[in-house]
Amino acid sequence: MENKGPFINELPQSGEITLLAIVLEKQLRPKRSGGVFLALRFADRSGELDGKVWENPETVSRAFERDDIVKVRGTVEVYNEKPQFIVSRIRRCDPKEYNATDFYPSSARDPEEMFGELHGFVAIVGLAPLRELLVNIVSDPAIGAALKFTPAAMKIHHAFRGGLIEHVLSLCNLSVALCAHYPRLNRDLLIAGAILHDLGKVETLAPSGVRFAYTIRGQLIEHVTLGLEILERHSSRMSEFSIELKTVLQHLIVSHHGDLDKGALRRPMLPEAFALSLMDLLDARMEQVFRLIDSTPCGDEFTPYIPSLERQLFRGFGVAQTEAPAISEVERTGGVVA
Amino acid sequence: MENKGPFINELPQSGEITLLAIVLEKQLRPKRSGGVFLALRFADRSGELDGKVWENPETVSRAFERDDIVKVRGTVEVYNEKPQFIVSRIRRCDPKEYNATDFYPSSARDPEEMFGELHGFVAIVGLAPLRELLVNIVSDPAIGAALKFTPAAMKIHHAFRGGLIEHVLSLCNLSVALCAHYPRLNRDLLIAGAILHDLGKVETLAPSGVRFAYTIRGQLIEHVTLGLEILERHSSRMSEFSIELKTVLQHLIVSHHGDLDKGALRRPMLPEAFALSLMDLLDARMEQVFRLIDSTPCGDEFTPYIPSLERQLFRGFGVAQTEAPAISEVERTGGVVA
Amino acid sequence: MENKGPFINELPQSGEITLLAIVLEKQLRPKRSGGVFLALRFADRSGELDGKVWENPETVSRAFERDDIVKVRGTVEVYNEKPQFIVSRIRRCDPKEYNATDFYPSSARDPEEMFGELHGFVAIVGLAPLRELLVNIVSDPAIGAALKFTPAAMKIHHAFRGGLIEHVLSLCNLSVALCAHYPRLNRDLLIAGAILHDLGKVETLAPSGVRFAYTIRGQLIEHVTLGLEILERHSSRMSEFSIELKTVLQHLIVSHHGDLDKGALRRPMLPEAFALSLMDLLDARMEQVFRLIDSTPCGDEFTPYIPSLERQLFRGFGVAQTEAPAISEVERTGGVVA
Amino acid sequence: MENKGPFINELPQSGEITLLAIVLEKQLRPKRSGGVFLALRFADRSGELDGKVWENPETVSRAFERDDIVKVRGTVEVYNEKPQFIVSRIRRCDPKEYNATDFYPSSARDPEEMFGELHGFVAIVGLAPLRELLVNIVSDPAIGAALKFTPAAMKIHHAFRGGLIEHVLSLCNLSVALCAHYPRLNRDLLIAGAILHDLGKVETLAPSGVRFAYTIRGQLIEHVTLGLEILERHSSRMSEFSIELKTVLQHLIVSHHGDLDKGALRRPMLPEAFALSLMDLLDARMEQVFRLIDSTPCGDEFTPYIPSLERQLFRGFGVAQTEAPAISEVERTGGVVA
Amino acid sequence: MENKGPFINELPQSGEITLLAIVLEKQLRPKRSGGVFLALRFADRSGELDGKVWENPETVSRAFERDDIVKVRGTVEVYNEKPQFIVSRIRRCDPKEYNATDFYPSSARDPEEMFGELHGFVAIVGLAPLRELLVNIVSDPAIGAALKFTPAAMKIHHAFRGGLIEHVLSLCNLSVALCAHYPRLNRDLLIAGAILHDLGKVETLAPSGVRFAYTIRGQLIEHVTLGLEILERHSSRMSEFSIELKTVLQHLIVSHHGDLDKGALRRPMLPEAFALSLMDLLDARMEQVFRLIDSTPCGDEFTPYIPSLERQLFRGFGVAQTEAPAISEVERTGGVVA
Amino acid sequence: MENKGPFINELPQSGEITLLAIVLEKQLRPKRSGGVFLALRFADRSGELDGKVWENPETVSRAFERDDIVKVRGTVEVYNEKPQFIVSRIRRCDPKEYNATDFYPSSARDPEEMFGELHGFVAIVGLAPLRELLVNIVSDPAIGAALKFTPAAMKIHHAFRGGLIEHVLSLCNLSVALCAHYPRLNRDLLIAGAILHDLGKVETLAPSGVRFAYTIRGQLIEHVTLGLEILERHSSRMSEFSIELKTVLQHLIVSHHGDLDKGALRRPMLPEAFALSLMDLLDARMEQVFRLIDSTPCGDEFTPYIPSLERQLFRGFGVAQTEAPAISEVERTGGVVA
């Protein structure tokens, strides 16, 4: 096993560096002064980086392919205000030389552990046919395998391996908390909604190299249709699954986006559908907001403008100052201001 | 068989009248001067009419029930600018005394003939598995029976018995015409879209007395979800129905409303999905517009304001005048103005 | 103390009835046959009811005034499908004859107990100046007195005496639950936001007889402006309240409606502002949805159309049926469907 | 006549190439190393291409001007992922050396033939004054000349020479088909609407070199106003053109965009105005969709994102699988999937 | 000449009253107890009033027709909280017995005086051809006659006889003031825009009895199209009216609603078009707001909810406190609050 | 004092040039051929300009800092169609060598003179407590100092030093003119609204080098909240400032954006609030439109597309025709077309 070396988001700005990275793009390009150079794009789970090979580009180019993991040596230069890596040596790595999880962003939690926790939530569903349906679905090998690594979205929230199941488990936990607070909510339905509402995403996004991409089915009919299909397939296999219960589950799936212009076919009409829809929005926002705050360079008080949210986020007073006494009090109590 | 008598939309405004009608509402109400009267609401396929019984209301009230067909005699009075029928005699009719079709609005075409025409369109579908799927669906007894009488909508367009199949056939005919005009359009897909796009309505609207009402499933998950369910059920029974073809059919169903805020889950992404969506809108508008124009009292140049269209419709110059020579020329050429 | 008699929402439909009610409207009107009658409108905390006095209306009319509590005897008649009360006797009551809380809708919880619970949440705020500010505000006699009875809104949600504090306490409890689930959220800020976000409503709505009405200030500048004013008044009295903390509290107030077109001046930019905004929406919806479901006549599967939500709500399968075995299983597990 | 050489959209990526092209831009620019080079932009009807002259740029620059057709020799290099043409020789061509139609996108149909077909549709209009008006308009030399080459739009649909008349003829044909399907539609009015609705575009877009550009009048008052002006000018020259008929034609023009926010002054209020508006949208979409599908590199399943449609288009299953048997079946049945 | 008697908006609520009024509606209706009564609707320029004739309704009904001015005697009764007039005597008046202007709402200013003032504004236009065009237009007998009495709108603002010219003059005056404040604005264009922007309304609204109603042309093509038609007609009669100037005037007309969804074909693109559009909105709002405030019963602090403005208007503090010294201070300083 | 030299927007395109400028950015960057160069960005009040130092970049770089004013000599080259300044000499200037106002865009008017004019408007306010409040506010040293230089906005309108007070004075003048035209408007309130509506901007935007930037408070709570805070602070210091008057001033502040989706908390409900809101929009548009027209290269008939206005602006016929006689006629009559 080779040493991974520094991650791309913490690359030193000077000196020779050696690291492992995946090759996202590889292209020979003409130099203005004649001849060609080799333009590369590297990535690991922490970010991406442009690279250039000026010496023997044709020979170097034959030594590895797109999507290969390589060991690469060179220096960082700034070009048009962006860093690029000037490569002096590069070679292909064997699978046994690296740890694949270094090269794509993933949930911090272990997939199997999350999958076990999901089974635990299914087990506390009290209504027998509903519990049986959920057991069948999460035990379906095709679904289970995909659930362990699919992201919850391409970009907006939980956009990393295991993001979908992490989001589902967060909603299951919130379901339990909400039912404690609003005892009239039906916990069985809320857990079922948490598990089923985005389940079609296991067929909407599929691995594409170290990343995920929309499948054709995902593009053409989206996760709501695909989730309905999974529900239909599994409920039709159960001999006496009641049409009423299926209808309520279908309603939870088609209404979870809350409003027609956001992709719902029907607005929520049951208390549990309202709760699911708002809980889903809250959990997506919390993950998105904390991740955006974390990925902003420290020292900046605001994140860059976030088009999908139509705003910048505030990282808290004091992030750019260190000496202010108000700030240290803030830090004592562990939060943004207080 | 009793004589139906005049239809409600052509009731004479004076003199004694005898007619058959269905009883939609029946209620004893207190008179201000003490005692009670019997308030009724009658209907036939041409319209509705309030009625009142001033004499012996309790006795009369026991002689028939809501949803009965009755033979009723009385005179028309105008009250708050609306006609009401002052009943002098009323009695329940036996089923053999009336023709049921006199009491609900229906397609002008014979249901069996339309059903036969639908089979004809299925038969010209060239792609074998698609044709087989459509044969299975329209031959499904539950679907076929409902198709023969379900309306296409509660109110907006084709809101009468047989309205759905009439609309489907109109789209099948338009599909053939459009494929002749735009030869790159795939006729098989367009006919399949015409048949499947609204098919979920057979479970969305159900007979309720002489009218139709939303089913609970219709309210909670709407015809798009129900149409997907029918497609899934029938395609999963065919041993080798390709996932690609099913996906395209699902896309036609979920995109036929054209835009997310109008109830589509995805916008049309295939030429046939664009054509289906616009053709569907055109056919709905044509039926709606001509029906609204026809139901406006002659002599009025404009229909009343139509909330769903946010406008009044114009019935053509000359409808209120008779002597204008320009008008008679208009009439010679058979149209609105010309 | 007189017996209240039946509440208006459970009035028997036949026989003589005696009850206590408040007089909302009182007007002498001409009869078509000459002379006048007395038109009344009664209310208690359960609903409202029209009434009429046909005998000696002028004399009766002089015996009491609008907003008086009266003891009234009579019978229910149905007129234009709405019940009205035909009065045979009516007299004014002394305050000692009735329990004032019978005449307006109120929180089911005791105001003083809720107020105590609010002080408890203030006490767990860790940041000293923030805790001090909140203590000062809830201890401000004008605010405290109003808090104990103001509704959270005129109509949409928590529209009853004590509704505001009930909503605030629900949000304080949710704040604690959310901070347990998302430990990076600052609990002090979330509790402060729960208490301050709607606080301007204590000056927006004011008692008007047994009901509440918008104040002129409420109409002209609304609760966000009034809440900012309260915050400014109290924070300016504290010698060293930091401008940073005040700004964050101002941001929580002006962003809690989430979006500009819903009345926010700024979109949420802090994690706590996102959480407050969505938690506020969730709590309002839960109260509204369960209340609407409860106020629908049992036997109806759907509530009437709710304009503010643009939908009907579903009360659950089985509400109209009693014998279905699926249903009894539903009831065993205590929820809508399950 | 010189050989055109390869079209820009099918330029070989290697080797010396000679082709004819029009010069869209020509500019001397400083090199970083001192001195200047000549930056060019070439086009033909198939696309555009950047070019550079490194040798003797000042001399070369004097040999031709912008908008000249040139014969040019050189090689293709890729720069910033876009091809550029490194010129070794270039010279101006005489008009007799090239075929002008090679240099701008045009309708595939002959303008005179289309113009004849348009006269044919005018001739079948039955109402004499309407037919006379249309004859006068299409025979107006200024209008006729422009009609033969104006595009229907700058970008969205039918954006090529002759696009307007091609679109108008397509609508005339659709009018005939729709009137056969919906016999109550007035064919005379529908044909008149097809011809007049976009006619103002003959003054909205004007030739600008080999392309078209918005005229100042087009920018300031748009084609609806200009179409009304043409109608007013010609109808006022006819001694007895009825005000009613003019009003209906004006209504067809001002309502054809369907909704106010899409540029209509009034929503359609006549059956023919509804049909015109939807037929116009359908024809525009069909042209746009097939053109976008055709201009996507083969092998791609989806077109790039289309901002005006807010979506990608799907080109059909199998386009990425060369020689797939599924595809040949597709081709046998003539369409996307089937 | 008969005495007009009290105006409808100041009718005493008791005692016998005699007044002149116009008959808007007249209908014999059945009484519940048998026989008929005569239902009437009266109006004068101050308002409208329902009326009933219980004695000899058939005979009375033959004595006058709709739209006649009648002298009527009777008493006011309140029915369903609205006043109605119980008629004891009624007779038709001769034109010489009344002053027609008592029966419709009119501008407070003399039409001829306003028309003279309009000519004055035309005269200060400096650019000769523009001045000549405007002279021709306002001197066109058909336009001038209509201008003197047409309202500016059916309901929203200046909805009274002479409202259009009053609005136009107000804009001419504002034009002069704005050009003094922003000297780069072209006063000639602004005055021309003030006169032309709504001029099509002279054909959009036409007298219908004592009221105005939409014409068919107004409904189908609206005042923007009709204003363009007037401009085209008059500019085409001038031998050398420049196309550039006509285009700018057309732009002012088609852009004056400011935005597409408010009925503009183009957004304002010239400084004068921006100024015209905002000045037009300001003047409409000022007239509307003061009229709504004036027509609210004194004592009410807020007007009723105004749907077109989506709000209530505030009439000022103190309006509900009679004789409050604060009020007289208000009046001394001439305003709402001060 | 050094000679400023040419302003950046009028730099000669050839020859050696010497000018004074401020350094906005300064960065050493690697050359592709090895070594580094110094990348600079210069600005003065007329615009910005990129610069490069190829010789001795490290040494040169140590001679000055960002935000220094420098004297610089070099030549202009065009690179990627944008000019860049190739520096041959550069040195830091002492404050006494330059006039600071040359380096940022400023109101053409003297700040002290404008401040005096503002005091003049305050002095004509008739209502004593309102006048006193305004005197206190504009005499508050913190406010007065900021008022003299704050812009009215970052970009849209009056985006230069002194822009806020220039905008406020323009509105005060318009207030006087509007009150003359609409005498029922309360001039005191309108002047108070003109002064207070945007006053929070003195804390929203703060100097950042030679430019302005959003403050954190500006980002988090915006100028409406900050304006309310200023009003609260000053009115609470006056012993008897009436709550009614404060409420009206608060209403003017929170309603001046006109509609909720544009940032108003309440829609205007007083005539003065309507007038303020529209007058504010008009003045912003006039400044914006004339500035955009002025900054478009002469010869262009249209400005570039303006995203905030969603349109291009028209600069008038003839701007592209030099010395055209039509133009001189335009200039004689002082406007765009006439």
Side-chain angles (χ1 to χ4, degrees), chain C residues 48 68 269 337:
Chain C
E48 304 188 1
D68 278 349
M269 300 169 83
V337 165

Side-chain angles (χ1 to χ4, degrees), chain E residues 127 170 173-174 181-182 184 186 244 248 267-269 283 290 294 310-314 317 335 337-338, chain F residues 127 170 174 181-182 184 186 244 248 267-269 281 283 290 294 310-314 317 335 337-338:
Chain E
L127 184 68
S170 185
N173 274 299
L174 277 173
H181 188 69
Y182 300 110
R184 292 179 62 171
N186 181 313
E244 288 84 2
V248 168
R267 298 188 180 93
M269 298 168 84
D283 195 59
F290 283 121
D294 290 348
E310 295 178 78
R311 77 199 81 174
Q312 294 180 277
L313 303 179
F314 183 54
F317 282 102
V337 165
Chain F
L127 185 68
S170 185
L174 277 174
H181 188 70
Y182 300 110
R184 292 180 62 172
N186 181 314
E244 288 85 1
V248 168
R267 298 187 180 94
M269 299 168 84
L281 183 57
D283 194 58
F290 283 121
D294 290 348
E310 296 177 77
R311 77 200 81 177
Q312 295 180 276
L313 303 179
F314 183 55
F317 282 102
V337 165

